Amino acid sequence: MERKEAVRRAYRLTGGNNFYDGMITCSTPSGKAVCRLVWDMNKVESDDYLEKALSGIPEHFSGRLLEVPVGTGILTMPVYKTMPEADITCLDFSADMMGQVQEKADRLHLKNVTFRAADSCQANYMLRVMLARNVEFVGCTFDCEPNEWGRCAADLYGGNEDIRFEGCVFRQMTSGASGGIWVRNWTDRVESRNIRFQNCEFYKSGADELLAVWGWGGAVRDVVLSGCSFDETQTQEALDAGHRPVWFITLGQSGTTDVRMEDCTVRAEYCETIFRMVGDKTRAVVDNCDITMKQPDSMAEHDMKKGANPMLARGNDRADGSTVIQNSRITLSGDNGRRICYQLSALKGNTLDVSLGCGIASTKEVSGNTIRGRIRHKVFQDCSGVENNKVEVRRFSILG
């Protein structure tokens, strides 16, 4: 462990500045001095050596490539830009080095690159985006394999604008008590806006949310999740440790949040509630999605006297249409201590196939839904604006 920590300290000294890049490319005064003293090379000799080293990568390469260690990516990121069809994985022991790689990938708009941290890496996140503009990630993979650290696959920390992820894969498999994909804003001095996740895949094991979008200390506006899939795939390690999400996806909590989820697929099992849509300054819409949650037999039963226990969503209890689930296909299966949803602004135009204890509670508008299956107790409780719903359930009473 002492040797590992010594290596980490050395990387931290060089990975966060231009010393390493200047040394590897023999392009700065200090880098040229190191090249001469350590490798006995001048600039011309260094360039010739690097050209020969990189010549082993075939032109127009389209297969799979692994680079270990990638360092800061100063040598290979420009080369990878010319290989859009290649499947590239970059690994490094140092989180500081990987951060430099990611910045270079951002500037180059790289495609089809996999970022994976070593199990021993203690970084809190694999990707952090802050005060960035016009950044695209296409076909990239952010792979947090099972490890002992509570690491985030990605943290869009704040002050970001025009950020797009298309066809990316986020494997948040830390199996720990924390870690997810976060879209937030740490300050009220600058907003984050126009952030897109298009046709991406999200996988989650362990506790904490899979994805959380919230204003936090400021505002996050115009966030759109389109054509994405969200899957809870708990590992046995996480279950043995008792780590599972309370909320699977957060669409609003504190600060100002404006987010829309459309044409997505959500599959959950062990979480308590799929959507958290709370906060007085939250505007969150889930539209035309396929949502499934089936409680495993191994989970302890819930007690309705000790909480609302919604499976689908908890809203912000406002009547202004700010937290809405609409036009979606929803399947829920849970014990008799669970209900469909609680305190949404609106639940409308959905088809719900359910088997659980209670129905829809304290929701301001419930309209145009088809509700089928089994509900042991009340279908609608303390709801207003209940109209034009088609109810086909067993063992129920309509109002109470």
Side-chain angles (χ1 to χ4, degrees), residues 29 44 57 67 78 108 160 162 210 227 236 243 260 280 284-285 313:
V44 174
I57 303 176
E67 182 179 3
L108 293 172
N160 298 303
D162 300 329
L210 169 56
Q236 192 58 49
H243 297 320
R260 181 179 181 86
D280 289 340
V285 175

Side-chain angles (χ1 to χ4, degrees), residues 173-203:
M173 306 298 290
T174 60
S175 300
S178 61
I181 296 92
W182 297 341
V183 181
R184 54 180 177 163
N185 203 354
W186 89 96
T187 177
D188 60 0
R189 296 181 180 180
V190 60
E191 295 183 346
S192 286
R193 60 175 63 246
N194 193 25
I195 298 172
R196 298 288 188 270
F197 292 86
Q198 299 170 316
N199 303 315
C200 295
E201 299 175 23
F202 298 81
Y203 300 93

Side-chain angles (χ1 to χ4, degrees), residues 212-215 249-259 276-279 281-284 314:
V213 181
W214 81 109
I249 299 172
T250 287
L251 303 177
Q253 181 183 358
S254 57
T256 300
T257 308
D258 175 16
V259 57
R276 171 165 55 174
M277 307 162 75
V278 301
K281 297 180 181 180
T282 290
R283 299 195 67 84
R314 180 162 190 160

Side-chain angles (χ1 to χ4, degrees), residues 268-270 292-296 299 311 331-334 338:
E269 290 184 297
Y270 288 91
T292 301
M293 182 174 173
K294 296 184 178 181
Q295 175 181 321
M299 281 187 65
M311 294 189 73
T331 301
L332 303 173
S333 178
R338 307 187 84 168

